[in-house]
Amino acid sequence: MANYYTAESQPVQTWDYTLNNESVSALQQQLPPTDILSAPFLIGNVGAPFVIGLAVGFFAKKILKIALFLAGGAIVLLFISEYYGMAKVSDAQLQTAADAATDLAQQSGGFLMDRLSQITSKGVSAVAGFAVGLKFG
């Protein structure tokens, strides 16, 4: 605290507001650990995981479309070969193969969702990005 004198020779008290390392660390302990509205926090914990999820979802849907296209072509070729007597296609075997493919797709989708949910603490933005990527893919 310093004393200054006015024109009337009256002492005026002023306070020293300079901060040292101890007072700064004491103030930081009173503040919340992160500012959730700051740009670095939002980009790192919301924006980037959303974009990663979006890319994975978009890719997954495109790969699924390609796999379905190829599987449909294979089934059509089986039906054509059966029509011309070159092969015998059993409906039960075809159903079993379709069930196995569906189970495989569900397992890989579950794996992707589990992995994306680990990107951030809550995983909500990455999973939301994945859902949007599936929608637009």
Side-chain angles (χ1 to χ4, degrees):
M1 182 164 62
N3 290 327
Y4 296 101
Y5 293 93
T6 62
E8 295 87 24
S9 295
Q10 296 292 325
V12 175
Q13 290 183 342
T14 59
W15 297 95
D16 184 16
Y17 287 107
T18 58
L19 296 174
N20 57 22
N21 288 339
E22 295 166 0
S23 60
V24 168
S25 65
L27 286 172
Q28 286 176 342
Q29 290 175 355
Q30 294 175 358
L31 294 174
T34 56
D35 181 16
I36 61 171
L37 296 179
S38 66
F41 179 82
L42 289 176
I43 290 172
N45 291 318
V46 177
F50 181 83
V51 172
I52 291 169
L54 180 74
V56 170
F58 190 85
F59 177 79
K61 186 164 183 183
K62 292 297 180 186
I63 290 298
L64 182 63
K65 284 182 178 182
I66 291 170
L68 287 174
F69 176 78
L70 293 175
I75 292 170
V76 167
L77 287 176
L78 282 173
F79 289 162
I80 290 172
S81 65
E82 182 183 37
Y83 179 76
Y84 287 109
M86 293 187 261
K88 176 75 173 140
V89 179
S90 169
D91 293 341
Q93 290 177 338
L94 193 60
Q95 183 67 33
T96 304
D99 288 340
T102 304
D103 290 340
L104 181 65
Q106 286 177 345
Q107 289 174 1
S108 64
F111 162 75
L112 289 175
M113 295 292 278
D114 290 341
R115 181 60 182 102
L116 286 172
S117 66
Q118 295 173 5
I119 290 178
T120 59
S121 62
K122 302 285 185 203
V124 174
S125 62
V127 173
F130 182 77
V132 171
L134 282 177
K135 176 72 176 162
F136 291 118

